[in-house]
Amino acid sequence: MGLPTGTLGIPNLLGILPGMTAFTSAFMKKKIAEVGAPPVDEYLQMLVDGGAHLYACKMSVDMFGLKKEDFVEGVEDIVTAGDFMDMTEGAQIIFI
């Protein structure tokens, strides 16, 4: 993350090193396994099986040129932040 001062932070600088993405992904998977949490895809499936509703952020979808087909099974729709707030008024919300 960048620092609030607007300067580039250490994590951003490390991201330019070859192999850093693979290293950090492997590191996070190892940490997830160490605490006994399920992998992300399995966790998302557990949420859907438990009755959770998954939505993709329209701004992120537009920025990265994605389509609904690019997301895991269970994502119901692509919505704007405003639409999401209207849809979920009074609901219990978990952001992942």
Side-chain angles (χ1 to χ4, degrees):
M1 299 179 119
L3 300 174
T5 60
T7 60
L8 196 60
I10 296 297
N12 287 337
L13 290 174
L14 291 176
I16 65 172
L17 297 174
M20 190 52 67
T21 299
F23 169 77
T24 54
S25 294
F27 177 79
M28 290 301 294
K29 287 178 182 177
K30 179 179 177 237
K31 288 295 184 185
I32 288 170
E34 284 176 4
V35 298
V40 173
D41 58 341
E42 187 178 324
Y43 185 68
L44 289 173
Q45 188 59 53
M46 289 169 54
L47 288 170
V48 171
D49 292 346
H53 301 277
L54 304 180
Y55 299 97
C57 170
K58 178 145 177 50
M59 184 183 296
S60 297
V61 167
D62 291 346
M63 284 189 331
F64 294 104
L66 300 171
K67 299 180 283 292
K68 188 174 177 187
E69 300 82 44
D70 296 321
F71 292 93
V72 297
E73 189 175 322
V75 171
E76 296 179 17
D77 203 0
I78 299 168
V79 298
T80 67
D83 289 341
F84 183 77
M85 297 306 286
D86 290 342
M87 293 166 44
T88 59
E89 187 174 343
Q92 181 179 7
I93 302 171
I94 301 172
F95 289 96
I96 299 177

